[in-house]
Amino acid sequence: MAKSESGIKKQLETGLKKQKQKKYVLHLYVAGLSPRSQKAIENIKKVCDEYLKGRYELAIQDIYQNPILAKNGQILGAPTLIKEFPLPLRRFVGDMSNIERLLVGLNLRSKE
Amino acid sequence: MAKPNNMATVATSDLPKALTGIQGLDEITFGGLPKGRPTLICGGPGCGKTLLAMEFLCRGALQYNEPGVFMAFEEKEQDLVENFSSLGFDLKSLVKHKKLAIDYVYIERSEIEETGEYDLEGLFVRLAAAIDSIGAKRVVLDTIEALFSGFSNTSILRAELRRLFRWLKDKGVTAIITGEKGEKLLTKHGLEEYVADCVISLDNRVNEQIATRRLKIIKYRGSRHGTNEYPFLISDNGISVFPMTSLLLASAVSSERISSGIKSLDEMLGNKGYFKGSAILVSGSAGSGKTSFGAQFVDYVCRNGQRALCFAFEESEGQLSRNMKSIGINLKRWIDKGLLKIAANRATLCGLEMHLVMAHTAVKEFKPDVVVIDPITTLIGSGLADDAKAMIARLIDFLKNDGITILATDLNLMADKGDAAEIGISSLCDTWMKLSMETQGYKRMRRITIIKSRGMKHGHETKDLIITDNGLEIKDIPGLREDVR
């Protein structure tokens, strides 16, 4: 009994390790430097530093300056954060103030 | 584009309008949609919203040099290109020549997580970029309600929609917003609340197994508009709306005469024949010679180099020309010469509106001097009697308006019904003749009587109608019966 329990634990740990080793590719699309955009940038940077230190790539794009990005990236809401990698692709719309939801969506915290 | 009829020329409006180029729609809106403002088009699935919107853009680009942006929330660009190529619109080339920009908006609820405050600036940026890329004057959002399936925060969405429509107005683009029909509201999410200038509703109704598409202008702020429901058709050339119920009794009247093709009948009709551009009804029981009567007229018309169009609801083209050959009328040679066109189909093929539309299209294409409808009464079978009467009235009015002489036959099952023709179409006609069969000894004889003929002196005798190898002949009834009436 105890043995199998520890086996599961081990599996979970390695899984978590794997998860932790995955590199994140994130794109944040903002519409100008509005207070909302700045808030989103701040929040996502904070999350990255805290949970993804050393294994993330964060690109910030301004759709005002480069409108074609909005079309190509299928952006509707602003700000939008796209998790390009690891798959599956996810979109986060908002100023990222709901950190909890962001973490769950990024697979950095399991749903409670 | 449809030629403007007397309706359109009456239009005096200060409100600037953008012509849609869609047949009939510009007439019932008195000049098109409100220029520089959004119009809402709502209706159930498959009622032609996307088509109407796209046609508005294509015709705008091609006919009025107003490029357009199509924001598709439902169909991918490739799907749109394929769907519309069957309707004769080459979207690819329009896009290539910078007359049209298509932006497909992908919304997938499961991919979207809302994490705080947001707006729809991305949509605005894309729309602005698309408008600027081709200098668009027209915009279609099909259908913006898809946003509601992707985002859950409706208060943000509503605020953003309000902002979007204001923004569209500021941009000065003429826009069409489509919306799915809702249960209580015109659209599922009450878009009519934001687009208040012009609302058009489409629907596709089935009545006795026959579907008819209809269009209605629910509101048009600052402009008058037709208030009826108008039937419309989706054909190879896109949408055609038929505003025929609005026709007035104002057709130009001709005092020119046209021969009936039977000399002795002309003698009965004031020695000259029918009035040109009048409606002639020939009633009679089965086998009384109605079709032959019509064929003789057609033959005469074509012989004089005029054009005749024949709507045959009972016989096919081949059958008709074969049968008429037996009485010495060669219809085929007129068909070959291009003077005669026989449009044969079953009355139950489609709804009345569709028949009307088809007749309209055929008349416009062929430009006949004479139209023969054989028999007009079968149309009653494909709709309700009241509808049929209204439809026949519209058809006759439309033809008269164009100065076309109409000869309609009417299958009268009970020959002795007298003056009460089934649905009172006789009152729509100027000349009414009755063919009957009378038994004389062992023989059944065909007889013809002129019941009325407006505006001329006409004979009141019942005469013999004889079908010979060389067409029809009318003779006095020999013997005693001559002076019965």
Side-chain angles (χ1 to χ4, degrees):
Chain A
M1 258 316 233
K3 216 175 180 184
S4 69
E5 221 170 76
S6 70
I8 289 167
K9 215 173 174 184
K10 214 170 192 178
Q11 248 182 345
L12 268 174
E13 264 168 18
T14 49
L16 207 62
K17 236 181 198 168
K18 257 189 188 166
Q19 189 69 32
K20 275 188 175 164
Q21 280 153 6
K22 266 184 193 160
K23 200 173 171 185
Y24 274 70
V25 180
L26 303 171
H27 280 205
L28 179 67
Y29 295 87
V30 294
L33 275 181
S34 65
R36 192 177 286 152
S37 304
Q38 285 170 357
K39 205 168 160 193
I41 294 170
E42 245 168 61
N43 284 332
I44 188 64
K45 276 193 171 157
K46 212 156 62 188
V47 166
C48 287
D49 280 343
E50 207 167 304
Y51 297 89
L52 296 167
K53 199 148 192 140
R55 55 187 184 98
Y56 74 91
E57 236 173 62
L58 176 65
I60 298 167
Q61 310 271 13
D62 183 0
I63 54 172
Y64 281 164
Q65 287 174 25
N66 227 339
I68 191 73
L69 291 176
K71 186 180 175 177
N72 294 346
Q74 284 291 357
I75 306 302
L76 284 178
T80 292
L81 176 75
I82 298 184
K83 181 188 72 153
E84 309 265 1
F85 198 81
L87 294 171
L89 186 135
R90 294 300 293 265
R91 288 160 190 275
F92 303 89
V93 178
D95 59 12
M96 311 300 149
S97 57
N98 192 335
I99 302 270
E100 204 56 35
R101 207 179 251 192
L102 183 60
L103 290 176
V104 172
L106 287 173
N107 248 338
L108 295 173
R109 180 174 299 172
S110 60
K111 260 181 206 167
E112 257 116 64
Chain B
M1 212 196 110
K3 76 172 182 206
N5 65 9
N6 50 356
M7 262 176 75
T9 51
V10 194
T12 47
S13 163
D14 303 322
L15 192 78
K17 293 185 180 179
L19 289 168
T20 60
I22 295 169
Q23 201 181 74
L25 186 60
D26 292 332
E27 278 150 48
I28 57 174
T29 53
F30 295 97
L33 303 177
K35 199 179 181 78
R37 301 197 207 178
T39 294
L40 175 66
I41 294 186
C42 52
C47 68
K49 298 184 294 288
T50 304
L51 173 62
L52 195 148
M54 186 57 101
E55 193 174 345
F56 166 73
L57 288 190
C58 291
R59 297 209 180 271
L62 292 168
Q63 294 174 8
Y64 309 109
N65 199 22
E66 292 197 349
V69 169
F70 194 95
M71 261 212 153
F73 291 82
E74 285 181 334
E75 284 173 277
K76 286 190 178 157
E77 183 168 345
Q78 191 53 36
D79 295 342
L80 283 169
V81 168
E82 279 164 19
N83 296 349
F84 282 88
S85 69
S86 65
L87 293 161
F89 295 112
D90 187 356
L91 301 188
K92 261 205 171 125
S93 106
L94 283 172
V95 170
K96 207 175 127 201
H97 292 97
K98 294 209 159 231
K99 295 262 185 198
L100 181 72
I102 300 175
D103 188 358
Y104 166 64
V105 178
Y106 168 86
I107 300 177
E108 176 56 60
R109 181 79 193 91
S110 62
E111 281 182 7
I112 300 174
E113 198 76 64
E114 284 165 42
T115 59
E117 292 279 304
Y118 61 93
D119 54 32
L120 293 182
E121 203 53 34
L123 181 67
F124 284 77
V125 166
R126 287 165 74 169
L127 200 47
I131 289 172
D132 294 343
S133 71
I134 56 167
K137 298 271 184 293
R138 300 179 177 208
V139 167
V140 167
L141 302 171
D142 179 52
T143 161
I144 193 125
E145 286 185 304
L147 287 175
F148 286 91
S149 70
F151 296 93
S152 59
N153 192 333
T154 50
S155 59
I156 288 182
L157 275 182
R158 289 187 181 281
E160 286 297 280
L161 282 181
R162 208 175 289 272
R163 186 163 73 99
L164 177 67
F165 293 129
R166 229 179 15 238
W167 182 85
L168 284 171
K169 268 190 190 181
D170 290 344
K171 274 260 173 195
V173 290
T174 309
I176 285 185
I177 322 294
T178 64
E180 196 83 12
K181 195 176 147 203
E183 265 174 36
K184 280 186 195 145
L185 301 162
L186 286 175
T187 56
K188 257 187 201 157
H189 298 280
L191 288 179
E192 60 271 23
E193 193 185 320
Y194 314 106
V195 191
D197 292 310
C198 181
V199 180
I200 295 175
S201 127
L202 306 179
D203 85 343
N204 192 1
R205 235 176 296 159
V206 180
N207 202 341
E208 300 196 347
Q209 300 176 12
I210 291 163
T212 313
R213 295 174 193 276
R214 289 188 169 87
L215 177 149
K216 185 176 191 298
I217 300 171
I218 293 177
K219 78 191 247 188
Y220 197 150
R221 201 176 268 175
S223 163
R224 51 199 197 99
H225 59 82
T227 49
N228 294 325
E229 279 197 317
Y230 301 97
F232 74 94
L233 172 73
I234 297 176
S235 67
D236 311 343
N237 312 311
I239 287 178
S240 308
V241 185
F242 287 83
M244 259 170 271
T245 41
S246 55
L247 285 179
L248 312 163
L249 275 178
S251 47
V253 170
S254 166
S255 51
E256 229 178 289
R257 301 293 274 261
I258 182 167
S259 167
S260 64
I262 306 169
K263 203 165 165 286
S264 40
L265 182 61
D266 288 347
E267 281 165 19
M268 288 170 79
L269 293 161
N271 239 334
K272 285 174 183 163
Y274 314 123
F275 278 116
K276 198 163 178 261
S278 68
I280 302 129
L281 178 68
V282 183
S283 306
S285 54
S288 58
K290 297 181 300 296
T291 305
S292 311
F293 194 93
Q296 176 102 3
F297 183 49
V298 164
D299 185 53
Y300 174 81
V301 166
C302 293
R303 209 180 284 269
N304 283 287
Q306 290 185 305
R307 301 165 75 79
L309 176 63
C310 184
F311 294 106
F313 294 117
E314 284 180 340
E315 291 172 283
S316 68
E317 181 182 318
Q319 200 183 354
L320 199 61
S321 50
R322 180 199 71 192
N323 294 353
M324 288 307 125
K325 223 174 200 162
S326 72
I327 59 164
I329 298 171
N330 187 350
L331 295 177
K332 184 126 193 342
R333 86 185 137 139
W334 305 127
I335 297 173
D336 294 342
K337 270 194 170 174
L339 288 172
L340 172 64
K341 189 177 163 184
I342 296 176
N345 53 54
R346 284 274 171 214
T348 44
L349 171 76
C350 51
L352 288 166
E353 310 290 7
M354 189 78 160
H355 275 296
L356 193 58
V357 164
M358 291 197 313
H360 195 279
T361 317
V363 166
K364 274 187 137 181
E365 271 174 21
F366 193 69
K367 297 188 175 60
D369 299 288
V370 167
V371 167
V372 174
I373 305 163
D374 181 44
I376 202 163
T377 30
T378 39
L379 290 174
I380 299 165
S382 59
L384 305 165
D386 282 348
D387 288 350
K389 191 183 169 187
M391 180 264 174
I392 290 168
R394 279 155 67 183
L395 181 58
I396 288 175
D397 282 347
F398 156 65
L399 293 172
K400 272 183 157 182
N401 241 24
D402 278 12
I404 295 168
T405 313
I406 310 138
L407 187 136
T409 67
D410 159 30
L411 176 65
N412 200 335
L413 289 176
M414 284 180 286
D416 297 327
K417 230 175 173 182
D419 291 20
E422 279 103 323
I423 52 167
I425 43 173
S426 67
S427 68
L428 297 167
C429 296
D430 303 300
T431 300
W432 184 16
M433 282 167 291
K434 203 171 112 184
L435 308 184
S436 56
M437 303 284 277
E438 277 169 37
T439 315
Q440 227 175 22
Y442 294 108
K443 233 173 139 187
R444 271 156 59 84
M445 304 290 291
R446 293 191 173 87
R447 295 281 149 81
I448 180 166
T449 317
I450 299 174
I451 298 172
K452 71 166 185 186
S453 193
R454 286 177 184 149
M456 64 176 83
K457 277 187 185 160
H458 62 83
H460 290 88
E461 314 89 356
T462 296
K463 295 201 176 186
D464 267 338
L465 179 71
I466 301 158
I467 298 181
T468 69
D469 289 344
N470 294 308
L472 304 183
E473 270 176 38
I474 293 175
K475 284 186 177 158
D476 290 342
I477 300 171
L480 287 172
R481 290 180 58 95
E482 202 170 328
D483 48 9
V484 163
R485 295 208 182 186

